[in-house]
Amino acid sequence: MKPLLAPSILSANYAHLEEDVKAAERGGADYFHLDIMDSHFVPNITFGPWIAKTMKSITDVPLDAHLMITKPREYIPQFLDSGVELIYPHIEASYDVFRTVQLIKDLGGKAGITLNPATPVSTVFPLLDLLDSVMLMNVCPGFGGQSFIPSSMARITELRQLLDDHKPSVRVAIDGGVNMDNIAELHKAGVDFFIAGSAVFKSDNIEETVRKFKEILNNA
Ligand code: DX5
Ligand code: ZN
């Protein structure tokens, strides 16, 4: 599967969001990642579905929304209506997560699911028929710029194996602590959808950084 890079605009500078987004687009960003936080599921607040509309007015690059919120089903229709292509709710957010993922599919979206670092990889198994992508958190969600939890590597290998055995078309996505030093190793372990926030938007040259990430991935 062609590896994809999704810069997270959580770390962009909102005084010049369009400039930052356009630079990442020129560098070859495959998606833009929207981190939606509600101060309940995670100890931080960001933005709602309107950010997707804003992004759609700036770029044609597809959007994915990472829902770090306790009631994802209430907002999924709005995110899809606002132009988000792929939605990643958290598996820990609802005891009836099957309904959440089913709703995304019923409304025509691509369905992802996200697992916190302490959630067993095997919990995705019952959902596999509905999923396009599984995202593993390398950090506890809530903030950009945190460092990578080392046990993530073993979890990636375990997840890729489970998917290869049961539904090879599902992507392995990774979020948190991705940088120029670990991206090749992550790719080798089986990741093909990379979220990177601070490594892209806090760099001195956003366009060049995205280009470099893509080069590493394409040459791996
Ligand atoms: C954290 C978010 C991430 C964040 C990643 O809760 O889900 O998407 O933007 O930021 P970095 O790449 O800086 O760890
Ligand atoms: Zn995220």
Side-chain angles (χ1 to χ4, degrees):
M1 258 179 292
K2 179 178 170 272
L4 303 174
L5 180 70
S8 163
I9 63 163
L10 183 66
S11 294
N13 185 330
Y14 289 80
H16 42 76
L17 178 65
E18 181 166 7
E19 215 176 285
D20 284 11
V21 165
K22 283 291 174 199
E25 183 180 329
R26 284 193 303 276
D30 298 292
Y31 269 82
F32 282 108
H33 179 84
L34 311 179
D35 283 305
I36 315 300
M37 308 187 189
D38 67 352
S39 104
H40 293 279
F41 188 75
V42 289
N44 199 1
I45 303 178
T46 54
F47 27 63
W50 60 264
I51 192 72
K53 285 194 179 148
T54 303
M55 287 295 287
K56 288 310 263 184
S57 73
I58 296 175
T59 179
D60 290 329
V61 172
L63 307 174
D64 77 274
H66 174 191
L67 304 186
M68 289 163 273
I69 61 179
T70 53
K71 294 186 174 167
R73 284 206 295 280
E74 289 185 14
Y75 294 91
I76 283 167
Q78 287 184 59
F79 278 107
L80 290 171
D81 284 350
S82 305
V84 170
E85 179 178 296
L86 165 61
I87 304 214
Y88 285 108
H90 264 263
I91 201 161
E92 303 85 3
S94 30
Y95 60 85
D96 56 352
V97 66
F98 197 90
R99 282 199 180 114
T100 308
V101 178
Q102 185 72 60
L103 178 65
I104 301 172
K105 294 309 274 185
D106 288 350
L107 296 178
K110 287 190 186 168
I113 195 73
T114 313
L115 274 60
N116 274 337
T119 301
V121 164
S122 58
T123 53
V124 301
F125 184 73
L127 300 168
L128 279 186
D129 278 351
L130 295 170
L131 291 176
D132 297 292
S133 188
V134 178
M135 182 156 78
L136 298 178
M137 293 306 301
N138 289 324
V139 300
C140 281
F143 302 92
Q146 303 182 82
S147 46
F148 191 93
I149 297 173
S151 58
S152 304
M153 276 302 174
R155 287 164 59 73
I156 293 165
T157 314
E158 185 187 347
L159 174 62
R160 190 61 263 170
Q161 188 62 56
L162 184 145
L163 298 174
D164 285 348
D165 289 347
H166 299 282
K167 192 176 173 193
S169 62
V170 177
R171 285 186 177 273
V172 173
I174 207 85
D175 189 10
V178 173
N179 58 41
M180 214 68 93
D181 297 328
N182 61 21
I183 195 161
E185 198 186 346
L186 289 165
H187 187 233
K188 216 169 137 205
V191 179
D192 51 63
F193 193 112
F194 298 84
I195 321 299
S198 48
V200 169
F201 286 111
K202 302 286 189 211
S203 70
D204 291 339
N205 187 327
I206 294 169
E207 181 177 342
E208 272 312 305
T209 302
V210 172
R211 191 164 289 132
K212 189 109 186 280
F213 268 122
K214 292 296 303 278
E215 266 170 31
I216 297 173
L217 292 176
N218 292 332
N219 295 330

